[in-house]
Amino acid sequence: MICQEFALEAEDGDDLWQVMGKKMGELLTQAITIINDVSDYHETKYGEVAFGLDRNDFVNYAMAQFQMRFSRIEKAGTQILEKIMFKKPAAAELL
């Protein structure tokens, strides 16, 4: 279960945090690569991205989501497992 993994990170120390940070960075890189690949494909094939969408809007959204998730994981690392598992997230955390 993901919540248990977060709680274990706090117990296991900095090495696990470094691994988690590296993995999150890899996932962000992959997300941005997909955004760019899809945008490039549409620009090459059709001359523009459908509906006038801007790739920067997608990249900015991905970065904002990454930052919120990363912040939540960092916060979870300082909490006990029961608090993480049974806490109802605030509306802002759901975005």
Side-chain angles (χ1 to χ4, degrees):
M1 176 179 253
I2 290 175
C3 292
Q4 290 172 338
E5 292 173 12
F6 294 157
L8 291 174
E9 289 173 10
E11 296 171 8
D12 291 337
D14 291 337
D15 289 339
L16 194 51
W17 277 108
Q18 290 174 357
V19 170
M20 186 272 310
K22 181 180 176 186
K23 186 63 174 177
M24 290 290 290
E26 291 169 2
L27 293 171
L28 177 61
T29 300
Q30 291 174 8
I32 293 173
T33 298
I34 290 169
I35 292 166
N36 286 323
D37 287 351
V38 169
S39 295
D40 289 344
Y41 171 80
H42 281 274
E43 288 172 356
T44 300
K45 185 165 183 168
Y46 304 110
E48 65 181 358
V49 177
F51 310 110
L53 298 173
D54 182 2
R55 84 172 65 207
N56 292 325
D57 292 338
F58 288 96
V59 170
N60 290 336
Y61 181 78
M63 296 287 288
Q65 290 297 306
F66 170 83
Q67 187 58 48
M68 284 193 302
R69 288 182 181 119
F70 197 81
S71 295
R72 183 62 188 118
I73 291 169
E74 286 181 318
K75 185 177 178 182
T78 63
Q79 297 174 337
I80 60 172
L81 183 59
E82 289 78 20
K83 189 171 184 179
I84 297 167
M85 290 180 65
F86 300 109
K87 178 185 178 252
K88 291 183 179 180
E93 293 176 338
L94 295 174
L95 300 175

